[in-house]
Amino acid sequence: MVDVTIVVPILNEKDNIRPLYHSLKKALDQAGFRWEIVFVDDNSQDGTLQEMRGLISEIKDHSVKLIQRIHRFGLSSACVEGIMASHAPFIVVMDVDGQHDETQIPIMYHTIQKKNLDAIVGSRYCDTGSLGELDPHRAFISKTATYLARKIGKVTLTDPMSGFFMIRRSTLESLIARLYSKGFKILLDILLASPSPLKYEEIAYTMRARKFGESKLNSRVILDYLMLLAYHRTHRWIPLDFVLYLFVGCTGAIFHLCVLRIFLQYGSSFIRAQFAATLIAILCNFYLNNKITFFYFRLKGLRVWSGLGTFILVCSIGLAVNLACADYIYKTTSVWWISGGFGFLISGIWNYLCSKTIVWRAKT
Ligand code: GDD
Ligand code: MN
């Protein structure tokens, strides 16, 4: 039995593994803890896995474990899997890159027990906490996201974006099925998923500079963050992936109308203009879905072309289904907008399901 499990999500971090292991070992041994570290990797391609296996084979005990995930992505879901595969009554989540202050863990452990808290959160904004040398651009994103979490998510802590916290296992297990589990913000997800406010406290720390490699934060992470807020604010019932797909579909429809208008204005026949507009709308939808909706399964290189071919085929069948349904409903109800809207929705569902399972399925 261990007192504390440290869950560390990792993606392409080969140079950071050993420094983190040694600094954690020092801090946890000094505190007299029985501990384990669970690294959760999303099939890194930079030698991280070899580095991990090398480290594990050198250690004589079972204090370090590795979960290697295939076709699954994202910091939050990696943390959830690491937590579910571990045993300690208290869990710490932290970055591998040395940015989080491991010397705070013993204080966190004693405080969470003494005050019977659900969680204790490392904060860069309370008391003596600071963003350290974080570049101004990142600091701005962090502060804006914090503002939104407090305004929209109605959370009260100073640093809901923190990636460094300790949580009681029993608390987490009671709300695990309510988590969104996508994206970067696992702490905020936990706070918003809880039906009653969690009992927490914050502990100040100064964020250090990343030791090696680079941050995995990208523009998709920002979209994931907004989707996380929307998911919990709508009481977890909206299928957000489908909404995103429909949103992309509507963008395609706007493109379609613009291109149609331009072609007609320059004297093209209607059928040619409609053909060009349809083609451009499909290309636009394919591009945006590849960039946004199915970002984690995005197609690259030659696979783009075979994916585009399949997407065109899928959309053509969707269009035929759309026309057949809309025509049938129009003949029965004579209400144009119900018939048109229903046809659009049916083809949207068809296109979405085929896109997800055929066009952007996990690589095999
Ligand atoms: N398994 C897995 N899968 N790990 C990932 C993934 C992923 O898709 N993306 C990132 N990681 C790992 C990184 O290897 C790192 O250990 C940790 O998750 C955080 O990623 P960073 O790239 O270091 O993010 P950051 O430093 O820009 O932001 C972090 O710190 C902020 C401040 O505490 C994150 O933890 C943020 O959530 C946090 O707000
Ligand atoms: Mn980091």
Side-chain angles (χ1 to χ4, degrees):
M1 193 59 196
V2 287
D3 303 312
V4 58
T5 297
I6 319 293
V7 172
V8 187
I10 47 172
L11 186 66
N12 298 329
E13 301 277 9
K14 74 173 163 38
D15 298 324
N16 285 315
I17 309 257
R18 279 172 195 267
L20 181 84
Y21 168 74
H22 291 298
S23 50
L24 268 177
K25 181 171 165 50
K26 189 169 162 216
L28 299 168
D29 281 348
Q30 258 174 18
F33 291 160
R34 291 166 297 173
W35 52 271
E36 64 177 354
I37 311 175
V38 180
F39 289 93
V40 189
D41 180 272
D42 285 355
N43 206 21
S44 293
Q45 297 298 315
D46 72 333
T48 294
L49 289 160
Q50 289 77 352
E51 191 67 21
M52 275 299 327
R53 299 216 160 89
L55 176 67
I56 289 174
S57 66
E58 285 164 27
I59 300 168
K60 299 286 173 279
D61 53 30
H62 298 285
S63 57
V64 175
K65 295 178 182 69
L66 167 68
I67 299 175
Q68 180 188 357
R69 308 197 305 168
I70 310 284
H71 299 328
R72 296 207 294 286
F73 308 97
L75 197 164
S76 289
S77 70
C79 292
V80 171
E81 281 191 41
I83 292 168
M84 296 323 279
S86 64
H87 305 287
F90 298 96
I91 299 135
V92 171
V93 171
M94 67 192 293
D95 288 8
V96 73
D97 51 19
Q99 285 188 292
H100 298 148
D101 184 357
E102 68 289 337
T103 61
Q104 303 285 343
I105 296 174
I107 307 169
M108 289 167 133
Y109 182 79
H110 293 301
T111 314
I112 202 170
Q113 292 202 79
K114 201 167 109 205
K115 301 194 175 167
N116 196 22
L117 303 171
D118 292 309
I120 178 147
V121 177
S123 169
R124 299 160 293 174
Y125 299 118
C126 76
D127 307 332
T128 54
S130 116
L131 288 172
E133 289 157 24
L134 196 68
D135 74 76
H137 171 69
R138 275 295 308 267
F140 174 75
I141 295 178
S142 173
K143 284 181 181 157
T144 311
T146 303
Y147 175 79
L148 287 180
R150 292 167 67 96
K151 274 274 166 226
I152 302 174
K154 308 264 181 270
V155 292
T156 48
L157 72 176
T158 61
D159 194 359
M161 298 299 113
S162 179
F164 179 41
F165 60 93
M166 177 180 279
I167 186 148
R168 191 179 283 273
R169 173 177 299 278
S170 54
T171 304
L172 192 89
E173 278 178 355
S174 68
L175 49 81
I176 202 129
R178 299 163 66 95
L179 293 178
Y180 182 54
S181 294
K182 290 181 190 159
F184 240 53
K185 301 298 164 194
I186 178 71
L187 174 67
L188 184 63
D189 198 1
I190 292 171
L191 293 166
L192 296 178
S194 177
S196 54
L198 292 188
K199 245 175 98 185
Y200 69 84
E201 215 165 77
E202 293 185 286
I203 180 168
Y205 82 99
T206 298
M207 195 165 167
R208 305 185 196 124
R210 190 176 235 282
K211 275 210 168 77
F212 299 102
E214 44 190 52
S215 167
K216 308 299 175 301
L217 190 128
N218 52 33
S219 48
R220 173 65 206 213
V221 166
I222 297 172
L223 181 63
D224 281 332
Y225 172 65
L226 297 175
M227 301 225 326
L228 168 72
L229 285 178
Y231 180 73
H232 286 292
R233 286 301 288 172
T234 56
H235 301 280
R236 297 171 283 281
W237 67 268
I238 289 191
L240 283 172
D241 288 352
F242 182 55
V243 171
L244 200 57
Y245 191 83
L246 282 187
F247 175 75
V248 166
C250 291
T251 317
I254 293 170
F255 256 85
H256 184 124
L257 293 178
C258 293
V259 174
L260 188 61
R261 176 94 175 84
I262 293 169
F263 269 70
L264 290 176
Q265 200 158 4
Y266 285 95
S268 164
S269 69
F270 179 79
I271 197 70
R272 274 191 188 190
Q274 173 69 352
F275 180 76
T278 307
L279 202 66
I280 288 180
I282 288 180
L283 290 178
C284 161
N285 278 2
F286 180 79
Y287 177 79
L288 291 178
N289 279 323
N290 201 40
K291 277 268 173 219
I292 302 174
T293 324
F294 299 106
F295 176 86
Y296 294 107
F297 297 92
R298 65 191 176 280
L299 305 168
K300 290 177 191 152
L302 281 181
R303 292 174 69 97
V304 170
W305 298 106
S306 57
L308 179 61
T310 321
F311 185 69
I312 292 175
L313 188 70
V314 161
C315 291
S316 311
I317 300 172
L319 180 65
V321 176
N322 175 343
L323 293 179
C325 289
D327 187 46
Y328 175 77
I329 298 174
Y330 189 68
K331 278 184 184 139
T332 3
T333 64
S334 298
V335 188
W336 66 269
W337 59 272
I338 294 187
S339 321
F342 194 79
F344 178 76
L345 193 66
I346 289 287
S347 61
I349 294 173
W350 161 268
N351 289 352
Y352 172 69
L353 292 178
C354 290
S355 295
K356 202 177 156 96
T357 51
I358 302 173
V359 184
W360 282 280
R361 66 178 186 276
K363 276 183 234 163
T364 44

